[in-house]
Amino acid sequence: QVQLVESGGGLVQAGGSLRLSCAASGPTNVVGWFRQAPGKEREFVAAIRRVDGSTRLADSVKGRFTISRDNAKNTVYLQMNSLKPEDTAVYYCAATGSYSSSSRWSWMESYDYWGQGTQVTISS
């Protein structure tokens, strides 16, 4: 069982930046970030394959968010720039030890482990 711990959430003004971290307690292959705003379904944000750094980003965050990893620390980061009020949500880290095509990284069912979530609030 792999445990995921997110950190880095908070309250920032529109246009600001935040960096979320996801630290894993064990080996993982693909790590993703999802978010859920009040009254909305959980949606895919970004994912990275740790072995080669391949990434995938949701269209809504391309050009503003980047995902990266530090394999030595077993940690994945989500750098969020040019934040908008509509980015307000609880952000969840998810991971799987299985290999999967990048086309499946946006599916919640592709992940075996989930973090507890961290709140991100963007004020206008």
Side-chain angles (χ1 to χ4, degrees):
Q1 185 77 5
V2 174
Q3 294 187 347
L4 304 174
V5 178
E6 303 109 328
S7 60
L11 169 65
V12 297
Q13 291 186 333
S17 298
L18 281 173
R19 188 178 79 158
L20 304 183
S21 300
C22 173
S25 65
T28 57
N29 183 20
V30 178
V31 177
W33 286 96
F34 289 75
R35 66 186 182 186
Q36 187 166 19
K40 295 188 176 181
E41 293 185 353
R42 193 170 297 189
E43 65 175 3
F44 171 75
V45 176
I48 188 167
R49 184 161 51 210
R50 294 186 58 239
V51 65
D52 61 3
S54 298
T55 63
R56 182 177 172 190
L57 293 164
D59 289 343
S60 59
V61 304
K62 283 181 181 177
R64 301 189 298 122
F65 292 13
T66 57
I67 186 170
S68 62
R69 89 284 195 213
D70 184 333
N71 287 341
K73 295 182 178 180
N74 211 9
T75 299
V76 169
Y77 304 99
L78 183 68
Q79 178 67 45
M80 306 186 295
N81 300 327
S82 302
L83 285 161
K84 305 175 181 180
E86 50 264 43
D87 294 318
T88 295
V90 177
Y91 283 69
Y92 297 91
C93 175
T96 178
S98 302
Y99 171 83
S100 62
S101 167
S102 60
S103 62
R104 299 183 178 184
W105 292 355
S106 61
W107 302 355
M108 291 177 56
E109 310 86 83
S110 296
Y111 299 88
D112 304 305
Y113 311 108
W114 289 83
Q116 80 285 356
T118 185
Q119 177 70 47
V120 171
T121 303
I122 312 303
S123 63
S124 57

